[in-house]
PDB file of all heavy atoms in Angstrom:
ATOM      1  N   TYR R  35      50.613 -14.750  -1.183  1.00 97.00           N
ATOM      2  CA  TYR R  35      49.883 -15.831  -1.836  1.00 97.00           C
ATOM      3  C   TYR R  35      49.493 -15.393  -3.245  1.00 97.00           C
ATOM      4  O   TYR R  35      49.199 -14.215  -3.477  1.00 97.00           O
ATOM      5  CB  TYR R  35      48.613 -16.196  -1.066  1.00 97.00           C
ATOM      6  CG  TYR R  35      48.868 -16.949   0.225  1.00 97.00           C
ATOM      7  CD1 TYR R  35      49.274 -16.288   1.379  1.00 97.00           C
ATOM      8  CD2 TYR R  35      48.693 -18.335   0.284  1.00 97.00           C
ATOM      9  CE1 TYR R  35      49.511 -16.982   2.555  1.00 97.00           C
ATOM     10  CE2 TYR R  35      48.922 -19.038   1.459  1.00 97.00           C
ATOM     11  CZ  TYR R  35      49.340 -18.361   2.580  1.00 97.00           C
ATOM     12  OH  TYR R  35      49.575 -19.053   3.740  1.00 97.00           O
ATOM     13  N   GLN R  37      46.681 -16.110  -6.205  1.00 95.00           N
ATOM     14  CA  GLN R  37      45.377 -16.716  -6.473  1.00 95.00           C
ATOM     15  C   GLN R  37      45.038 -16.554  -7.942  1.00 95.00           C
ATOM     16  O   GLN R  37      44.636 -15.477  -8.384  1.00 95.00           O
ATOM     17  CB  GLN R  37      44.283 -16.101  -5.601  1.00 95.00           C
ATOM     18  CG  GLN R  37      42.949 -16.802  -5.744  1.00 95.00           C
ATOM     19  CD  GLN R  37      41.871 -16.228  -4.857  1.00 95.00           C
ATOM     20  OE1 GLN R  37      42.008 -15.156  -4.288  1.00 95.00           O
ATOM     21  NE2 GLN R  37      40.766 -16.958  -4.716  1.00 95.00           N
ATOM     22  N   GLY R  42      42.165 -21.727  -5.505  1.00 92.00           N
ATOM     23  CA  GLY R  42      42.466 -21.211  -4.180  1.00 92.00           C
ATOM     24  C   GLY R  42      43.838 -20.568  -4.148  1.00 92.00           C
ATOM     25  O   GLY R  42      44.668 -20.823  -5.016  1.00 92.00           O
ATOM     26  N   PRO R  43      44.082 -19.731  -3.165  1.00 95.00           N
ATOM     27  CA  PRO R  43      45.400 -19.094  -3.039  1.00 95.00           C
ATOM     28  C   PRO R  43      46.502 -20.123  -2.838  1.00 95.00           C
ATOM     29  O   PRO R  43      46.286 -21.151  -2.188  1.00 95.00           O
ATOM     30  CB  PRO R  43      45.243 -18.205  -1.797  1.00 95.00           C
ATOM     31  CG  PRO R  43      43.772 -17.997  -1.652  1.00 95.00           C
ATOM     32  CD  PRO R  43      43.146 -19.260  -2.135  1.00 95.00           C
ATOM     33  N   GLN R  48      56.903 -16.568   3.116  1.00 93.00           N
ATOM     34  CA  GLN R  48      56.657 -15.922   4.392  1.00 93.00           C
ATOM     35  C   GLN R  48      57.940 -15.251   4.846  1.00 93.00           C
ATOM     36  O   GLN R  48      59.022 -15.854   4.789  1.00 93.00           O
ATOM     37  CB  GLN R  48      56.192 -16.894   5.475  1.00 93.00           C
ATOM     38  CG  GLN R  48      55.876 -16.159   6.785  1.00 93.00           C
ATOM     39  CD  GLN R  48      55.761 -17.073   7.979  1.00 93.00           C
ATOM     40  OE1 GLN R  48      56.103 -18.237   7.924  1.00 93.00           O
ATOM     41  NE2 GLN R  48      55.258 -16.534   9.081  1.00 93.00           N
ATOM     42  N   ARG R  55      61.267 -17.135   5.894  1.00 90.00           N
ATOM     43  CA  ARG R  55      61.043 -18.276   6.781  1.00 90.00           C
ATOM     44  C   ARG R  55      60.406 -19.452   6.047  1.00 90.00           C
ATOM     45  O   ARG R  55      60.466 -20.573   6.533  1.00 90.00           O
ATOM     46  CB  ARG R  55      60.136 -17.882   7.944  1.00 90.00           C
ATOM     47  CG  ARG R  55      60.765 -16.884   8.880  1.00 90.00           C
ATOM     48  CD  ARG R  55      62.107 -17.360   9.440  1.00 90.00           C
ATOM     49  NE  ARG R  55      62.618 -16.505  10.492  1.00 90.00           N
ATOM     50  CZ  ARG R  55      62.489 -16.775  11.782  1.00 90.00           C
ATOM     51  NH1 ARG R  55      61.867 -17.865  12.179  1.00 90.00           N
ATOM     52  NH2 ARG R  55      62.989 -15.937  12.685  1.00 90.00           N
ATOM     53  N   SER R  94      50.530 -11.524  10.342  1.00 89.00           N
ATOM     54  CA  SER R  94      50.202 -12.100  11.645  1.00 89.00           C
ATOM     55  C   SER R  94      51.303 -11.721  12.622  1.00 89.00           C
ATOM     56  O   SER R  94      52.387 -11.308  12.219  1.00 89.00           O
ATOM     57  CB  SER R  94      50.063 -13.615  11.553  1.00 89.00           C
ATOM     58  OG  SER R  94      51.293 -14.208  11.251  1.00 89.00           O
ATOM     59  N   VAL R  97      55.601 -16.115  13.763  1.00 70.00           N
ATOM     60  CA  VAL R  97      56.076 -16.849  12.597  1.00 70.00           C
ATOM     61  C   VAL R  97      55.279 -18.129  12.370  1.00 70.00           C
ATOM     62  O   VAL R  97      55.128 -18.571  11.228  1.00 70.00           O
ATOM     63  CB  VAL R  97      57.583 -17.159  12.737  1.00 70.00           C
ATOM     64  CG1 VAL R  97      57.842 -18.109  13.903  1.00 70.00           C
ATOM     65  CG2 VAL R  97      58.141 -17.731  11.449  1.00 70.00           C
ATOM     66  N   ARG R  98      54.757 -18.739  13.450  1.00 70.00           N
ATOM     67  CA  ARG R  98      54.069 -20.011  13.310  1.00 70.00           C
ATOM     68  C   ARG R  98      52.585 -19.851  13.601  1.00 70.00           C
ATOM     69  O   ARG R  98      52.175 -18.978  14.354  1.00 70.00           O
ATOM     70  CB  ARG R  98      54.646 -21.039  14.282  1.00 70.00           C
ATOM     71  CG  ARG R  98      56.060 -21.432  13.989  1.00 70.00           C
ATOM     72  CD  ARG R  98      56.547 -22.441  14.998  1.00 70.00           C
ATOM     73  NE  ARG R  98      55.698 -23.638  15.020  1.00 70.00           N
ATOM     74  CZ  ARG R  98      55.928 -24.678  15.801  1.00 70.00           C
ATOM     75  NH1 ARG R  98      56.954 -24.681  16.614  1.00 70.00           N
ATOM     76  NH2 ARG R  98      55.125 -25.727  15.767  1.00 70.00           N
ATOM     77  N   THR R  99      51.805 -20.738  12.988  1.00 65.00           N
ATOM     78  CA  THR R  99      50.396 -20.807  13.325  1.00 65.00           C
ATOM     79  C   THR R  99      50.263 -21.285  14.760  1.00 65.00           C
ATOM     80  O   THR R  99      50.981 -22.189  15.187  1.00 65.00           O
ATOM     81  CB  THR R  99      49.669 -21.787  12.389  1.00 65.00           C
ATOM     82  OG1 THR R  99      49.919 -21.414  11.039  1.00 65.00           O
ATOM     83  CG2 THR R  99      48.179 -21.759  12.643  1.00 65.00           C
ATOM     84  N   SER R 100      49.385 -20.685  15.499  1.00 67.00           N
ATOM     85  CA  SER R 100      49.170 -21.115  16.878  1.00 67.00           C
ATOM     86  C   SER R 100      47.685 -21.077  17.177  1.00 67.00           C
ATOM     87  O   SER R 100      46.881 -20.657  16.351  1.00 67.00           O
ATOM     88  CB  SER R 100      49.939 -20.226  17.856  1.00 67.00           C
ATOM     89  OG  SER R 100      49.376 -18.931  17.854  1.00 67.00           O
ATOM     90  N   ASP R 101      47.345 -21.516  18.392  1.00 60.00           N
ATOM     91  CA  ASP R 101      45.929 -21.582  18.746  1.00 60.00           C
ATOM     92  C   ASP R 101      45.267 -20.218  18.736  1.00 60.00           C
ATOM     93  O   ASP R 101      44.104 -20.090  18.384  1.00 60.00           O
ATOM     94  CB  ASP R 101      45.767 -22.200  20.132  1.00 60.00           C
ATOM     95  CG  ASP R 101      46.009 -23.699  20.108  1.00 60.00           C
ATOM     96  OD1 ASP R 101      46.324 -24.226  19.028  1.00 60.00           O
ATOM     97  OD2 ASP R 101      45.889 -24.325  21.160  1.00 60.00           O
ATOM     98  N   GLU R 103      46.361 -17.074  17.388  1.00 67.00           N
ATOM     99  CA  GLU R 103      46.522 -16.005  16.417  1.00 67.00           C
ATOM    100  C   GLU R 103      45.744 -16.281  15.137  1.00 67.00           C
ATOM    101  O   GLU R 103      45.370 -17.404  14.827  1.00 67.00           O
ATOM    102  CB  GLU R 103      47.981 -15.791  16.077  1.00 67.00           C
ATOM    103  CG  GLU R 103      48.589 -16.902  15.249  1.00 67.00           C
ATOM    104  CD  GLU R 103      49.995 -16.577  14.856  1.00 67.00           C
ATOM    105  OE1 GLU R 103      50.823 -16.484  15.764  1.00 67.00           O
ATOM    106  OE2 GLU R 103      50.259 -16.421  13.660  1.00 67.00           O
ATOM    107  N   LEU R 105      45.436 -15.124  10.820  1.00 85.00           N
ATOM    108  CA  LEU R 105      46.127 -14.599   9.650  1.00 85.00           C
ATOM    109  C   LEU R 105      45.178 -13.626   8.973  1.00 85.00           C
ATOM    110  O   LEU R 105      44.053 -13.992   8.637  1.00 85.00           O
ATOM    111  CB  LEU R 105      46.491 -15.745   8.717  1.00 85.00           C
ATOM    112  CG  LEU R 105      47.491 -15.477   7.605  1.00 85.00           C
ATOM    113  CD1 LEU R 105      48.836 -15.077   8.176  1.00 85.00           C
ATOM    114  CD2 LEU R 105      47.640 -16.700   6.720  1.00 85.00           C
ATOM    115  N   GLY R 108      45.010  -8.930   3.115  1.00 94.00           N
ATOM    116  CA  GLY R 108      44.663  -7.704   2.427  1.00 94.00           C
ATOM    117  C   GLY R 108      43.712  -7.993   1.277  1.00 94.00           C
ATOM    118  O   GLY R 108      43.363  -9.149   1.013  1.00 94.00           O
TER     119      GLY R 108
ATOM    120  N   TYR N  32      45.772 -27.479  11.897  1.00 88.00           N
ATOM    121  CA  TYR N  32      44.874 -26.367  12.096  1.00 88.00           C
ATOM    122  C   TYR N  32      44.016 -26.305  10.827  1.00 88.00           C
ATOM    123  O   TYR N  32      44.521 -26.441   9.725  1.00 88.00           O
ATOM    124  CB  TYR N  32      45.628 -25.047  12.260  1.00 88.00           C
ATOM    125  CG  TYR N  32      46.400 -24.918  13.552  1.00 88.00           C
ATOM    126  CD1 TYR N  32      47.785 -24.981  13.577  1.00 88.00           C
ATOM    127  CD2 TYR N  32      45.726 -24.710  14.756  1.00 88.00           C
ATOM    128  CE1 TYR N  32      48.494 -24.851  14.758  1.00 88.00           C
ATOM    129  CE2 TYR N  32      46.427 -24.580  15.942  1.00 88.00           C
ATOM    130  CZ  TYR N  32      47.806 -24.660  15.935  1.00 88.00           C
ATOM    131  OH  TYR N  32      48.496 -24.531  17.112  1.00 88.00           O
ATOM    132  N   TYR N  36      37.630 -19.683   5.157  1.00 96.00           N
ATOM    133  CA  TYR N  36      37.696 -18.273   4.779  1.00 96.00           C
ATOM    134  C   TYR N  36      36.585 -17.979   3.771  1.00 96.00           C
ATOM    135  O   TYR N  36      36.195 -18.854   2.982  1.00 96.00           O
ATOM    136  CB  TYR N  36      39.039 -17.931   4.125  1.00 96.00           C
ATOM    137  CG  TYR N  36      40.184 -17.742   5.085  1.00 96.00           C
ATOM    138  CD1 TYR N  36      40.955 -18.817   5.499  1.00 96.00           C
ATOM    139  CD2 TYR N  36      40.503 -16.467   5.569  1.00 96.00           C
ATOM    140  CE1 TYR N  36      42.014 -18.641   6.378  1.00 96.00           C
ATOM    141  CE2 TYR N  36      41.569 -16.282   6.439  1.00 96.00           C
ATOM    142  CZ  TYR N  36      42.321 -17.376   6.833  1.00 96.00           C
ATOM    143  OH  TYR N  36      43.365 -17.186   7.703  1.00 96.00           O
ATOM    144  N   GLN N  38      35.438 -15.146   0.674  1.00 94.00           N
ATOM    145  CA  GLN N  38      35.948 -14.101  -0.216  1.00 94.00           C
ATOM    146  C   GLN N  38      34.787 -13.523  -1.008  1.00 94.00           C
ATOM    147  O   GLN N  38      34.149 -14.219  -1.794  1.00 94.00           O
ATOM    148  CB  GLN N  38      37.005 -14.659  -1.162  1.00 94.00           C
ATOM    149  CG  GLN N  38      37.701 -13.594  -2.005  1.00 94.00           C
ATOM    150  CD  GLN N  38      38.832 -14.181  -2.840  1.00 94.00           C
ATOM    151  OE1 GLN N  38      38.757 -15.297  -3.333  1.00 94.00           O
ATOM    152  NE2 GLN N  38      39.917 -13.410  -2.981  1.00 94.00           N
ATOM    153  N   GLY N  43      39.717  -9.390  -0.410  1.00 87.00           N
ATOM    154  CA  GLY N  43      40.609 -10.416   0.105  1.00 87.00           C
ATOM    155  C   GLY N  43      39.839 -11.478   0.867  1.00 87.00           C
ATOM    156  O   GLY N  43      38.618 -11.600   0.760  1.00 87.00           O
ATOM    157  N   LYS N  49      38.154 -21.107  12.824  1.00 91.00           N
ATOM    158  CA  LYS N  49      39.432 -21.818  12.860  1.00 91.00           C
ATOM    159  C   LYS N  49      39.346 -22.948  13.872  1.00 91.00           C
ATOM    160  O   LYS N  49      38.849 -22.744  14.992  1.00 91.00           O
ATOM    161  CB  LYS N  49      40.522 -20.826  13.258  1.00 91.00           C
ATOM    162  CG  LYS N  49      41.894 -21.421  13.547  1.00 91.00           C
ATOM    163  CD  LYS N  49      42.837 -20.298  13.983  1.00 91.00           C
ATOM    164  CE  LYS N  49      44.188 -20.832  14.392  1.00 91.00           C
ATOM    165  NZ  LYS N  49      45.074 -19.733  14.857  1.00 91.00           N
ATOM    166  N   PHE N  90      36.533 -20.826   1.054  1.00 97.00           N
ATOM    167  CA  PHE N  90      37.741 -21.633   0.953  1.00 97.00           C
ATOM    168  C   PHE N  90      38.029 -22.329   2.271  1.00 97.00           C
ATOM    169  O   PHE N  90      38.031 -21.696   3.332  1.00 97.00           O
ATOM    170  CB  PHE N  90      38.949 -20.770   0.581  1.00 97.00           C
ATOM    171  CG  PHE N  90      38.894 -20.198  -0.800  1.00 97.00           C
ATOM    172  CD1 PHE N  90      38.406 -18.921  -1.015  1.00 97.00           C
ATOM    173  CD2 PHE N  90      39.336 -20.936  -1.887  1.00 97.00           C
ATOM    174  CE1 PHE N  90      38.347 -18.389  -2.289  1.00 97.00           C
ATOM    175  CE2 PHE N  90      39.283 -20.413  -3.168  1.00 97.00           C
ATOM    176  CZ  PHE N  90      38.784 -19.136  -3.362  1.00 97.00           C
ATOM    177  N   SER N  94      46.656 -25.946   7.888  1.00 86.00           N
ATOM    178  CA  SER N  94      48.000 -25.492   8.236  1.00 86.00           C
ATOM    179  C   SER N  94      48.648 -26.539   9.116  1.00 86.00           C
ATOM    180  O   SER N  94      47.992 -27.139   9.965  1.00 86.00           O
ATOM    181  CB  SER N  94      47.933 -24.153   8.961  1.00 86.00           C
ATOM    182  OG  SER N  94      49.216 -23.732   9.363  1.00 86.00           O
ATOM    183  N   SER N  96      50.640 -27.811  12.117  1.00 62.00           N
ATOM    184  CA  SER N  96      50.904 -27.286  13.465  1.00 62.00           C
ATOM    185  C   SER N  96      52.347 -27.511  13.905  1.00 62.00           C
ATOM    186  O   SER N  96      52.768 -26.999  14.930  1.00 62.00           O
ATOM    187  CB  SER N  96      49.963 -27.952  14.477  1.00 62.00           C
ATOM    188  OG  SER N  96      50.193 -29.352  14.510  1.00 62.00           O
ATOM    189  N   THR N  98      55.167 -27.292  11.611  1.00 71.00           N
ATOM    190  CA  THR N  98      56.157 -26.614  10.765  1.00 71.00           C
ATOM    191  C   THR N  98      56.598 -25.310  11.406  1.00 71.00           C
ATOM    192  O   THR N  98      55.813 -24.643  12.074  1.00 71.00           O
ATOM    193  CB  THR N  98      55.549 -26.331   9.384  1.00 71.00           C
ATOM    194  OG1 THR N  98      55.126 -27.559   8.812  1.00 71.00           O
ATOM    195  CG2 THR N  98      56.562 -25.683   8.471  1.00 71.00           C
ATOM    196  N   PHE N 100      57.148 -22.550  10.116  1.00 75.00           N
ATOM    197  CA  PHE N 100      56.677 -21.321   9.515  1.00 75.00           C
ATOM    198  C   PHE N 100      55.195 -21.469   9.198  1.00 75.00           C
ATOM    199  O   PHE N 100      54.600 -22.532   9.378  1.00 75.00           O
ATOM    200  CB  PHE N 100      57.477 -20.944   8.261  1.00 75.00           C
ATOM    201  CG  PHE N 100      57.421 -21.962   7.149  1.00 75.00           C
ATOM    202  CD1 PHE N 100      56.489 -21.865   6.126  1.00 75.00           C
ATOM    203  CD2 PHE N 100      58.309 -23.022   7.124  1.00 75.00           C
ATOM    204  CE1 PHE N 100      56.435 -22.797   5.107  1.00 75.00           C
ATOM    205  CE2 PHE N 100      58.270 -23.963   6.101  1.00 75.00           C
ATOM    206  CZ  PHE N 100      57.334 -23.848   5.092  1.00 75.00           C
ATOM    207  N   GLN N 101      54.608 -20.403   8.727  1.00 81.00           N
ATOM    208  CA  GLN N 101      53.161 -20.338   8.578  1.00 81.00           C
ATOM    209  C   GLN N 101      52.793 -20.490   7.116  1.00 81.00           C
ATOM    210  O   GLN N 101      53.061 -19.599   6.318  1.00 81.00           O
ATOM    211  CB  GLN N 101      52.685 -18.991   9.112  1.00 81.00           C
ATOM    212  CG  GLN N 101      51.227 -18.910   9.446  1.00 81.00           C
ATOM    213  CD  GLN N 101      50.929 -17.587  10.110  1.00 81.00           C
ATOM    214  OE1 GLN N 101      50.775 -16.591   9.437  1.00 81.00           O
ATOM    215  NE2 GLN N 101      50.885 -17.578  11.427  1.00 81.00           N
ATOM    216  N   LEU N 103      49.470 -21.801   4.738  1.00 90.00           N
ATOM    217  CA  LEU N 103      48.139 -22.347   4.587  1.00 90.00           C
ATOM    218  C   LEU N 103      48.026 -22.994   3.211  1.00 90.00           C
ATOM    219  O   LEU N 103      48.436 -22.410   2.202  1.00 90.00           O
ATOM    220  CB  LEU N 103      47.089 -21.251   4.726  1.00 90.00           C
ATOM    221  CG  LEU N 103      46.472 -21.048   6.120  1.00 90.00           C
ATOM    222  CD1 LEU N 103      47.537 -20.663   7.115  1.00 90.00           C
ATOM    223  CD2 LEU N 103      45.346 -20.035   6.074  1.00 90.00           C
ATOM    224  N   PHE N 105      45.242 -24.162   0.641  1.00 95.00           N
ATOM    225  CA  PHE N 105      43.827 -23.908   0.386  1.00 95.00           C
ATOM    226  C   PHE N 105      43.230 -24.938  -0.569  1.00 95.00           C
ATOM    227  O   PHE N 105      43.924 -25.483  -1.434  1.00 95.00           O
ATOM    228  CB  PHE N 105      43.640 -22.520  -0.232  1.00 95.00           C
ATOM    229  CG  PHE N 105      43.818 -21.383   0.725  1.00 95.00           C
ATOM    230  CD1 PHE N 105      45.079 -20.865   0.988  1.00 95.00           C
ATOM    231  CD2 PHE N 105      42.726 -20.822   1.373  1.00 95.00           C
ATOM    232  CE1 PHE N 105      45.254 -19.809   1.875  1.00 95.00           C
ATOM    233  CE2 PHE N 105      42.888 -19.763   2.260  1.00 95.00           C
ATOM    234  CZ  PHE N 105      44.146 -19.265   2.513  1.00 95.00           C
ATOM    235  N   GLY N 106      41.936 -25.149  -0.413  1.00 95.00           N
ATOM    236  CA  GLY N 106      41.186 -25.890  -1.410  1.00 95.00           C
ATOM    237  C   GLY N 106      40.873 -25.006  -2.600  1.00 95.00           C
ATOM    238  O   GLY N 106      41.229 -23.819  -2.629  1.00 95.00           O
TER     239      GLY N 106
END
Side-chain angles (χ1 to χ4, degrees):
Chain R
Y35 287 79
Q37 186 178 13
Q48 183 195 11
R55 294 304 189 99
S94 66
V97 65
R98 294 180 58 179
T99 306
S100 68
D101 286 1
E103 71 175 65
L105 194 62
Chain N
Y32 290 108
Y36 281 88
Q38 187 175 36
K49 171 182 175 182
F90 293 95
S94 177
S96 62
T98 302
F100 61 94
Q101 199 173 81
L103 266 61
F105 286 85

